[in-house]
DNA sequence: ATTAAATAAATGTTAAAAAAATAAATTTGA
DNA sequence: TCAAATTTATTTTTTTAACATTTATTTAAT
């Protein structure tokens, strides 16, 4: 094999490793998250929707806004919100300015649940990155952000 | 707030960012992968099982081996293998030494499919990391491996 | 004003995944 | 040896996701 080809092969191995590493890390984070949330009978996705709504600071969000901000864009956000409504964690009403749209807000109960979950999730996130130091953490975020482009 | 607390808050923000970045990157890779595999009517998970089996180099693998090596450990590997059998990509028979176990091997057809898919996936993986340079790639892999512990 | 096109969300259907329960074969240990 | 425990895989049930279709509303064009 020519040197050039060797370099190419070598690079390919590293990119393959990268994809696997990313997947494994994401899998680990997801598992940790779901296990932590399980006692509260809430899925990671539901939790994320609640956080998005809290981020609105009282301002209602419509379905497409939520969908845009979700990590795993899935088609049936309607039903995800349905479940949160059933648990009394969010409210929904039709938007009066544009009656096609729907306005979703987090309830007091939803905010309380988040308040309970916050320290648990914070701790979990700290644990997740416990094996790397501050410098590596910052560097890692920078590089990962480049990958997202 | 005391300096110590500020530092803690600051660190927390970075760890939160990390979890989100990992999720988004994994989501991107998954989407790219599934789209590339779609024309071949094979899911990413099925593809990974095939690669695990090829890695066995003829030696049969049993279900728990496959499960251990899978990125997204899911409980119904049986079903996943069923689908591959239906497509004639793998074979399964019960292990004679220990009749609880099952022996799974990739078929010639399965190997051929992988041969077709290999360059497509290679290209995709290269594309995935196109925005970072070699040094960043290597550094990234090293740090991600620490996270997996 | 009326119709067509576009937008936003909901619904129905089908497929896939996760979780839990069950079944079969093997080990262990009295 | 034989019941209890363990391992390995399957089956069943429940949840979740993906895809296509439908409904309601608004915007734009004639």
């Amino acid at each position: 094999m020519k040197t050039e080809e060797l370099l190419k092969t070598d690079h390919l191995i590293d990119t393959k490793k990268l994809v696997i590493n990313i997947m494994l890390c994401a899998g680990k984070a997801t598992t940790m998250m779901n296990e932590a949330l399980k006692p509260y009978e809430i899925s990671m996705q539901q939790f994320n929707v609640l956080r998005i709504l809290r981020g609105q600071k009282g301002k209602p969000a419509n379905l497409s806004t939520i969908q845009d901000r979700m990590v795993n864009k899935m088609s049936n956000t309607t039903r995800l919100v349905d479940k949160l409504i059933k648990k009394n964690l969010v409210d929904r009403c039709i938007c009066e300015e544009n009656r096609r749209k729907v306005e979703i807000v987090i309830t007091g109960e939803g905010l309380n649940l988040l308040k309970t979950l916050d320290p648990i999730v914070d701790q979990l996130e700290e644990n997740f990155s416990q094996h790397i130091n501050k410098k590596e953490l910052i560097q890692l975020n920078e590089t990962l952000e480049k990958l997202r482009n």
Side-chain angles (χ1 to χ4, degrees), chain A:
Chain A
M1 228 195 289
K2 275 183 268 176
T3 325
E4 198 191 313
E5 284 171 20
L6 273 171
L7 284 174
K8 250 189 209 160
T9 308
D10 177 46
H11 191 261
L12 184 55
I13 290 168
D14 288 327
T15 60
K16 277 195 181 303
K17 248 201 222 169
L18 176 58
V19 174
I20 292 169
N21 277 334
I22 292 269
M23 296 295 193
L24 289 174
C25 286
K28 185 180 174 187
T30 304
T31 304
M32 285 170 77
M33 203 69 150
N34 277 325
E35 274 173 17
L37 295 176
K38 201 167 202 178
Y40 301 90
E41 290 183 307
I42 190 172
S43 69
M44 202 172 104
Q45 297 215 17
Q46 290 177 15
F47 174 68
N48 282 329
V49 170
L50 287 182
R51 282 205 293 195
I52 289 166
L53 291 174
R54 177 172 59 183
Q56 293 285 102
K57 303 195 184 304
K59 201 181 124 207
N62 53 37
L63 260 193
S64 38
T65 307
I66 294 176
Q67 221 163 12
D68 288 347
R69 302 205 187 147
M70 279 195 330
V71 180
N72 320 326
K73 336 216 144 202
M74 59 183 229
S75 51
N76 50 349
T77 314
T78 303
R79 278 183 274 233
L80 190 48
V81 169
D82 283 347
K83 277 169 211 151
L84 292 171
I85 289 173
K86 215 176 274 174
K87 293 181 199 168
N88 244 319
L89 300 172
V90 310
D91 271 340
R92 170 174 53 194
C93 60
I94 50 172
C95 171
E96 278 312 319
E97 283 96 66
N98 185 341
R99 295 170 49 74
R100 286 173 300 190
K101 291 189 182 177
V102 101
E103 292 186 329
I104 299 152
V105 289
I106 186 167
T107 63
E109 208 172 317
L111 288 170
N112 282 340
L113 177 58
L114 283 186
K115 211 170 265 175
T116 308
L117 294 176
D118 279 339
I120 296 169
V121 173
D122 289 355
Q123 185 58 55
L124 184 155
E125 286 164 338
E126 293 280 1
N127 291 348
F128 179 69
S129 42
Q130 69 187 328
H131 296 302
I132 61 175
N133 64 40
K134 183 82 184 179
K135 198 183 147 204
E136 287 171 317
L137 173 58
I138 289 170
Q139 179 64 53
L140 183 52
N141 272 327
E142 276 172 19
T143 313
L144 288 175
E145 267 151 36
K146 287 187 194 169
L147 280 184
R148 288 170 36 194
N149 295 330

